[in-house]
Amino acid sequence: PKMKEDNCLHAALICLGMLYYSHAVATEKLNHARPSLHGHHEKGKEGQVLHRSKRGWVWNQFFVIEEYTGPDPVLVGRLHSDIDSGDGNIKYILSGEGAGIIFVIDDKSGNIHATKTLDREERAQYTLTAQAVDRNTNRPLEPPSEFIVKVQDINDNPPEFLHENYHANVPERSNVGTSVIQVTASDADDPTYGNSAKLVYSILEGQPYFSVEAQTGIIRTALPNMDREAKEEYHVVIQAKDMGGHMGGLSGTTKVTITLTDVNDNPPKFPQSVYQMSVSEAAVPGEEVGRVKAKDPDIGENGLVAYSVIDGDGMDMFEITTDYETQEGVVKLKKVLDFETKKSYSLKVEAANVHIDPKFISNGPFKDTVTVKISVEDADEPPVFLKPSYIFEVQENAASGTVVGKVHAKDPDAANSAIRYSIDRHTDLERYFIINAEDGNIKTIKALDREEIAWHNISVFAVEVHKQHQEAKVPVAIKVVDVNDNAPKFAAAYEAFVCENARSNQQFITISADDKDDSANGPRFIFSLPPEIIHNPNFTLRDNRDNTASVLVRREGFSRQKQDLYLLPIVISDGGLPPMSSTNTLTIRVCGCDSNGSLLSCNAEAYILNAGLSTGALIAILACIVILLVIVVLFVTLKRQKKEPLIVFEEEDVRENIITYDDEGGGEEDTEAFDIATLQNPDGINGFIPRKDIKPEYQYMPRPGLRPAPNSVDVDDFINTRIQEADNDPTAPPYDSIQIYGYEGRGSVAGSLSSLESATTDSDLDYDYLQNWGPRFKKLADLYGSKDTFDDDS
């Protein structure tokens, strides 16, 4: 009903506008003159005077209402020219935006109609061009003229918010009127025409907690002390309505989710006043005993709680830390407990907020306290030594069985079990000590040497007699006290050199000493010469009293030819009780020196040679002798190599390696055709090997000519004969030469295996059967086939 009333109102206003427009047109017609020839004159190109006619349009701006849904096209307006006499000779033409599609014109009357529904939000106005032409010739009667058709707005678009849902936060317990968020809506209608786009905001849901400003859309808090812990989230619905919020206006809504953010307005509280805990006396420091927790409804850093122990008899034995992940206080053991000493402890624990908001300090105090009672439980404990470690002393070289010291342990439990002691043999591998298992007395087994091991670090076990698994261990350090049992000695193996031209009282070496004993039994060292040589004519000794001594020359004129080596005994004694001393021998060599005292040579032989030849000359002579020896050795070696044969065989008879004979065996069946053993020396078989490297003592007759062997001669006899002749004939070739035996036996049962004469001689053998052996033996059949076949093939 409201929309209908608004449409009727708009229609009435449009009608009034049309009436006003018609009146204006009539007035304009009366005021305009008809087209006259007495207008403004202009000369044409050919001197003709042209008359510029005054336009006679009846004109004004047109309006058309949007969203018209009537059955007939909407009359937008009418065009009319003064030259139109109504006889139908003038034709009106319309062009421009939407012409012919949206806007059509009656070419006779000039009436313009809108054929389609218009939407101002899509297009607010249209620019068109109208012209009057001659209907018959289409000659323009008037210049074209533009006019505008404006689409008149109606309230057809509701307000729309930028977002369908809004999210906002505001601190809890905010003051009334605190700004939360601003929501904004827009209206597509024309803001310059009427109230179609004038919006007013109101709250539909969310009272009485929030309110909204009607003109700006700002949402504000409406109640004081809103508590997040009571309600954290609120849902508010905001409406935007056009037409200034009056009846008939269109509206749109949006949802706003408002969350209260936390502030520290709640102190922590323990859910109970007393916590009961227990811990074993065997617990180690740092072990957790239990946990307490104070509840704080605040979240984040506002809910952080720190725990501390503020009072109680267990402050020295226990401590509390904060687990920030679980917001719990962790009670931990600080020191070792003893059930037999104290069986229970009490703590006063405080929980306080870490971050406190000064605005809510009046809600405090932001802390709470609780009592924690801890009971100690008895545990089967291992023995406990009276000291954490022991240090004993014993003199070195003490007799076996000397008491070093005593360790003591006890059972801390109420049972007070007996204790047995033992030494950890891993710490006393050499078994220097032994301990009494009953009373803990430690004694030596063998003599100790401080210079070998100054400290012995062993470990002693204590175990309960009836509970072997309960044991304790304590370190025992045994210091071996030094006894002056080592005499001082030279610090190094000294060897001194004195020049032949040394001056009297000239120092040529400084010596020092070492003592394996402790400093109390060592330095200061005293150096001296033995009483029997205290008046040594060659050298003297001076004690520098700084644990060193200097050796000096007592006379001049040392000579290597007379004596090149001196041995000087030196006595060194320490300052221990009782004092220890030793005699050390210093070796002194006499050397030749230059005028500056630099050593040249310390050998007597070198000194004699220097009178004739220099060192360089001696080296040159030795080098020449070595070179000559090398040349002689090379010459002899080359000469021996030339005498050796070019081909060397390793202790083998050359006749066994290179053998040429023309004997043909009897085939595979003749296994005794020839025996290679017959080629060996028959005399060598009997143990007699004639010398081939000397000439025989007796002369043989000249070698008779070789006579051919008869047909009945055996090959073995023939070869032996030839060998014997060669061995006994001094004119025969050497023993290691190659012997060629060209004799071939006759009458071989096997006959000849040669096939060289098979093709030229007649043979009793028939090889025709090879033709049946297949293609693989075709070549063989062709060679050994019958003569007829051979002739045919040829």
Side-chain angles (χ1 to χ4, degrees), residues 61-137:
Q61 194 174 39
F62 294 151
F63 294 90
V64 60
I65 192 169
E66 69 169 336
E67 303 294 346
Y68 175 75
T69 58
D72 299 324
V74 178
L75 177 63
V76 178
R78 181 183 180 187
L79 299 179
H80 184 75
S81 176
D82 291 342
I83 62 175
D84 186 3
S85 58
D87 55 2
N89 291 327
I90 295 178
K91 179 181 179 182
Y92 295 98
I93 299 174
L94 185 66
S95 62
E97 298 174 345
I101 300 174
I102 299 175
F103 302 100
V104 296
I105 188 170
D106 188 343
D107 60 353
K108 292 183 179 181
S109 64
N111 291 333
I112 300 173
H113 291 82
T115 61
K116 293 185 177 180
T117 302
L118 303 180
D119 187 355
R120 189 202 67 83
E121 286 71 37
E122 292 183 2
R123 194 181 186 96
Q125 64 182 20
Y126 297 86
T127 301
L128 299 172
T129 301
Q131 190 175 21
V133 300
D134 187 272
R135 184 177 295 276
N136 297 321
T137 62

Side-chain angles (χ1 to χ4, degrees), residues 320-334:
I320 190 168
T321 59
T322 303
D323 186 346
Y324 287 103
E325 292 185 359
T326 61
Q327 291 299 302
E328 293 177 322
V330 183
V331 181
K332 295 182 178 180
L333 183 62
K334 193 175 181 180

Side-chain angles (χ1 to χ4, degrees), residues 617-646:
L618 292 174
I619 294 175
I621 292 172
L622 291 176
C624 292
I625 293 173
V626 171
I627 293 173
L628 290 174
L629 290 175
V630 171
I631 293 174
V632 171
V633 170
L634 292 176
F635 179 77
V636 173
T637 303
L638 293 175
K639 190 174 181 180
R640 287 183 177 180
Q641 288 181 353
K642 290 182 179 180
K643 291 182 178 182
E644 294 178 356
L646 296 178

Side-chain angles (χ1 to χ4, degrees), residues 560-561 603-615 617-618 622:
R560 283 181 287 172
Q561 287 73 23
N603 296 324
E605 294 79 5
Y607 180 82
I608 296 172
L609 292 172
N610 285 340
L613 296 173
S614 64
T615 304
L618 292 174
L622 291 176

